[in-house]
Amino acid sequence: MSEIRKKAWAFLLWSTLAGTMSFFIAGVIGCIILLRLDNYILETIIAGGLGGLLLSVFLGKLKTIGKITLASLVAVPIAFWTSFILAEGLFSIPFIHTFFENPNVPDIIAIIFMGIICGAIFGAIIYGRKTIWIFSAVCGIVSLPFGMLVGLFNAWHPIKATFENLLAVFGPIDLNFLAIITSFGVGIGLSIGLFNMLNKKARMNGRDN
């Protein structure tokens, strides 16, 4: 792991992959728990905490495992439910809803907001307020394709059946929830890698000066 950290591009790729794997696993486990308990709030809390825990393990950040787990535990549920409630309220207003011909657009916008909020909270807790801009921007951008994927799921596109078949071993999976949680992981992992890269460049420029 120390060798990967020394190479900015290698760490960028690894942190993105680590974030993807961590939150995908956490999302699947959250979906399985939902089948047993039928509690969506608990599902987001478990997925957030477990995603952060796995991410810290995959990145070898064992000294900050508690902080990363806490950041994820806080960021994921707040981002998920805040954006969901705001979107439901905003797009329930008739004159706003009529602006969008595609019924999936409100969901996509809500998921982008989820990414922005999740990234902002996670970045602020782990690295401080100065990193909010990079984490929120990256997580928001990353959330766009996942929001479009959720739109395809809601439209019963054939890709939904493909994912259901691939994940059938785990039982019935809430694909929308899994896509959103995975998007958080991709965004957070990519943000950590980019932040590490920018930090290294800043240090090198400081030495040159």
Side-chain angles (χ1 to χ4, degrees):
M1 181 60 66
S2 59
E3 289 300 317
I4 293 177
R5 282 204 192 102
K6 291 177 183 177
K7 299 176 182 177
W9 282 105
F11 184 74
L12 175 66
L13 293 173
W14 173 242
S15 63
T16 304
L17 180 59
T20 305
M21 293 189 301
S22 301
F23 282 78
F24 176 81
I25 294 170
V28 169
I29 293 174
C31 289
I32 293 172
I33 290 174
L34 178 64
L35 293 174
R36 307 285 191 276
L37 302 179
D38 194 26
N39 188 319
Y40 277 97
I41 294 177
L42 183 61
E43 180 187 25
T44 56
I45 293 172
I46 291 173
L50 184 57
L53 176 66
L54 292 173
L55 177 61
S56 58
V57 171
F58 286 146
L59 293 179
K61 293 181 176 291
L62 302 182
K63 291 182 179 179
T64 56
I65 190 169
K67 191 174 183 181
I68 293 175
T69 302
L70 176 63
S72 183
L73 183 66
V74 172
V76 170
I78 290 179
F80 189 96
W81 291 108
T82 300
S83 299
F84 181 78
I85 292 169
L86 286 175
E88 283 292 309
L90 182 64
F91 292 109
S92 65
I93 301 173
F95 78 89
I96 292 180
H97 193 76
T98 54
F99 287 147
F100 304 101
E101 295 181 4
N102 188 332
N104 294 319
V105 170
D107 289 335
I108 295 172
I109 293 174
I111 292 169
I112 291 173
F113 276 126
M114 287 180 192
I116 292 171
I117 295 171
C118 181
I121 295 173
F122 186 93
I125 292 175
I126 299 299
Y127 299 107
R129 288 179 296 177
K130 290 182 179 179
T131 63
I132 289 176
W133 69 272
I134 185 170
F135 275 79
S136 59
V138 171
C139 289
I141 293 169
V142 166
S143 294
L144 173 59
F146 285 91
M148 296 171 69
L149 181 61
V150 168
L152 293 176
F153 290 157
N154 291 337
W156 291 92
H157 188 278
I159 197 172
K160 182 174 184 179
T162 302
F163 275 94
E164 287 175 337
N165 291 334
L166 288 171
L167 300 170
V169 65
F170 301 113
I173 293 290
D174 184 339
L175 293 179
N176 289 1
F177 178 80
L178 182 58
I180 292 168
I181 295 299
T182 303
S183 76
F184 290 158
V186 178
I188 289 172
L190 180 58
S191 297
I192 290 173
L194 287 172
F195 177 72
N196 178 70
M197 185 178 289
L198 292 173
N199 246 359
K200 284 195 172 181
K201 284 185 178 179
R203 282 183 210 154
M204 290 176 67
N205 290 335
R207 287 173 191 168
D208 292 340
N209 294 334

